[in-house]
Amino acid sequence: MTVGTGSPAQARSAAPHAPEPPPAPDPAAPPAVPEPRPAPEAGTPAPVSYEKPGTPPRTNPGSRRDAATVPDLGLDPDDLPDGLVVADETGRIICFNAAAGRITAVPPAGALGRPLDEALPLEDLKGSRWWPLTDPYGGLDTRRGQPERNLLLPGGREVLVSARYVRTHPGGPVRRVVVSLRGTEARRRTERSHAELIATVAHELRSPLTSVKGFTATLLDKWERFTDDQKRLMLETVDADAGRIKRLIAELLDISRIDSGRLEVRRQTVDIAAAVGRHVHAYVTGGQSPDRFFVRVRPGLPELWADPDKIDQILGNLLENAVRHGEGTVTIEVAPTTATSDGEKGTEVTVSDEGPGIPEESMGRVFTRFWRGSKRGGTGLGLYIVKGVVEAHGGTITVGRGPRGGAEFRFILPVGTPAHLL
């Protein structure tokens, strides 16, 4: 490349077009030593980078000025799901990630460099200022931080806050204060769901327990006044209500196991066609017309390995839902199918009725807790449990509109053959 030797302006305009290639390194030359960086001015927090060496710089100037994480992980504060606030040894904020800005409604760029107690004026639920109470930079030098607790931001916004005090050495001064922030929306949803569950259970238990208590007290006080037929009727009612309580408790245990991922599946060979027949026979024996049910079993069903008790639970809930909330003929079809995308064999069971069906706007809520398709009783937990049990087997379940307008539930179970038999 030729660079003109005229004026400096000419040299400056020519240089960007084709920069001079760097000279080839001399193998005999000693390795280059990087020049030391100038020390920061007094009062300026020392930058600590989150990025790996060689990582391109991130272009989000508002979220952080001086990052403070583990360099070998290459972690960026904005990648964290929770709010992260880091203050240096002087109490000024050197890191304020995007999640912290979203949770507190404080712009990250406006928080950097400010004192911690000014950028986050937190108060406890009694109205006391939190930072003077905890005094991170003072007090006992054995403190390691603060456990998570509910605190309030200006305006009454609630946030979950925990803090960690980073010291240069045990008992030494605080070098960093690392604060974690989390919103309370998820916890509030969980608490609200638990409260609804408790209220539903209390309501469902009150009626059968009142019946059991009333009939047993009456029989004990006036046994001689009743005929044998009257006594039998009362005892049958007590037995039915006790069975209802037992089923409700079983549902609660199932919900607990599903939510915690501890639902156990004890697999063995299951004749699902025979299981369908047993359930239909029980309904017919209980007073339903045999014409109310139509069962179709396709040939070529694969051998199904599943938990027989859980299969009975699935079929029982779906048939009860069709009989109680549907109308007309209840059709149960069992057929072989492909259970997964990799071609694994499976069994498909479809239960449909001829009732009004489920509104389109409610289809997405059918398998949630407390959903009820009608006002004909029930806890609204059955279909939630069915979905959890089917998925515990590695299967899927869907809901739609049947060929005759009613609700149609279809679940598919993989054959689930144990590994030692493959």
Side-chain angles (χ1 to χ4, degrees):
M1 180 189 71
T2 302
V3 179
T5 57
S7 67
Q10 292 175 331
R12 285 197 300 269
S13 63
H17 293 287
E20 190 75 30
D26 185 358
V33 178
E35 296 182 3
R37 294 181 179 180
E41 298 179 1
T44 303
V48 182
S49 178
Y50 267 97
E51 307 292 348
K52 287 183 179 179
T55 303
R58 302 286 287 265
T59 56
N60 188 359
S63 64
R64 71 194 182 285
R65 180 185 61 197
D66 296 318
T69 57
V70 184
D72 58 339
L73 293 180
L75 186 64
D76 186 271
D78 290 345
D79 295 335
L80 300 176
D82 296 334
L84 176 67
V85 180
V86 182
D88 63 7
E89 64 274 7
T90 67
R92 294 187 177 275
I93 294 177
I94 60 174
C95 175
F96 201 93
N97 72 346
R102 183 178 65 252
I103 294 170
T104 63
V106 175
L112 293 173
R114 294 179 60 189
L116 189 59
D117 57 345
E118 291 183 8
L120 291 178
L122 298 167
E123 296 181 353
D124 61 17
L125 300 183
K126 297 179 180 179
S128 302
R129 298 292 298 271
W130 193 59
W131 295 114
L133 286 176
T134 57
D135 190 13
Y137 296 92
L140 297 174
D141 56 11
T142 58
R143 296 184 306 163
R144 303 176 61 183
Q146 292 290 332
E148 186 177 73
R149 60 182 299 180
N150 285 20
L151 296 175
L152 299 177
L153 290 166
R157 179 181 299 184
E158 193 170 353
V159 63
L160 298 172
V161 182
S162 59
R164 174 76 179 215
Y165 305 155
V166 181
R167 301 179 183 273
T168 54
H169 55 82
V174 174
R175 182 171 59 90
R176 294 279 192 272
V177 174
V178 182
V179 181
S180 174
L181 305 174
R182 291 198 299 144
T184 59
E185 292 80 7
R187 177 174 291 187
R188 288 189 177 278
R189 285 195 299 268
T190 301
E191 292 175 350
R192 185 163 52 249
S193 177
H194 289 169
E196 292 175 354
L197 181 60
I198 292 172
T200 300
V201 170
H203 175 76
E204 293 295 328
L205 285 175
R206 184 182 297 114
S207 177
L209 284 175
T210 301
S211 174
V212 169
K213 178 62 177 176
F215 278 119
T216 53
T218 302
L219 287 171
L220 289 173
D221 292 342
K222 303 176 182 179
W223 180 267
E224 297 82 5
R225 299 186 183 182
F226 296 106
T227 65
D228 289 345
D229 290 340
Q230 289 173 328
K231 294 175 183 176
R232 175 177 291 276
L233 177 62
M234 290 184 183
L235 290 175
E236 287 176 348
T237 304
V238 169
D239 181 69
D241 287 334
R244 180 179 170 188
I245 295 173
K246 181 180 179 181
R247 288 193 300 273
L248 182 58
I249 293 174
E251 286 182 348
L252 293 177
L253 293 175
D254 287 335
I255 288 176
S256 174
R257 295 187 184 104
I258 290 170
D259 290 345
S260 61
R262 294 184 294 106
L263 187 65
E264 295 183 0
V265 176
R266 305 180 186 276
R267 296 182 185 271
Q268 53 184 284
T269 54
V270 175
D271 188 343
I272 195 167
V276 170
R278 288 196 307 271
H279 281 273
V280 171
H281 178 72
Y283 275 102
V284 172
T285 304
Q288 293 287 337
S289 171
D291 297 334
R292 181 82 193 273
F293 302 94
F294 176 73
V295 179
R296 179 188 294 116
V297 179
R298 302 289 186 182
L301 293 178
E303 185 179 50
L304 176 64
W305 285 77
D307 190 320
D309 293 334
K310 298 293 190 293
I311 295 299
D312 282 337
Q313 190 175 21
I314 296 171
L315 295 174
N317 272 291
L318 293 181
L319 286 176
E320 181 182 7
N321 185 76
V323 171
R324 175 181 293 181
H325 304 291
E327 298 174 3
T329 302
V330 177
T331 302
I332 306 102
E333 182 172 353
V334 184
T337 187
T338 300
T340 59
S341 58
D342 58 1
E344 182 183 5
K345 294 181 179 180
T347 300
E348 177 184 272
V349 181
T350 305
V351 179
S352 60
D353 61 75
E354 299 175 352
I358 300 172
E360 292 292 335
E361 61 272 14
S362 300
M363 291 288 186
R365 297 185 289 110
V366 167
F367 297 109
T368 59
R369 289 183 184 181
F370 312 119
W371 183 85
R372 293 181 176 91
S374 67
K375 299 180 180 180
R376 300 181 186 178
T379 61
L381 301 174
L383 293 177
Y384 176 80
I385 294 174
V386 165
K387 183 175 185 292
V389 173
V390 169
E391 291 178 347
H393 281 81
T396 58
I397 184 168
T398 57
V399 61
R401 187 169 296 278
R404 299 186 180 181
E408 179 181 87
F409 292 88
R410 175 181 288 108
F411 67 92
I412 299 175
L413 298 176
V415 292
T417 307
H420 68 276
L421 295 179
L422 295 176

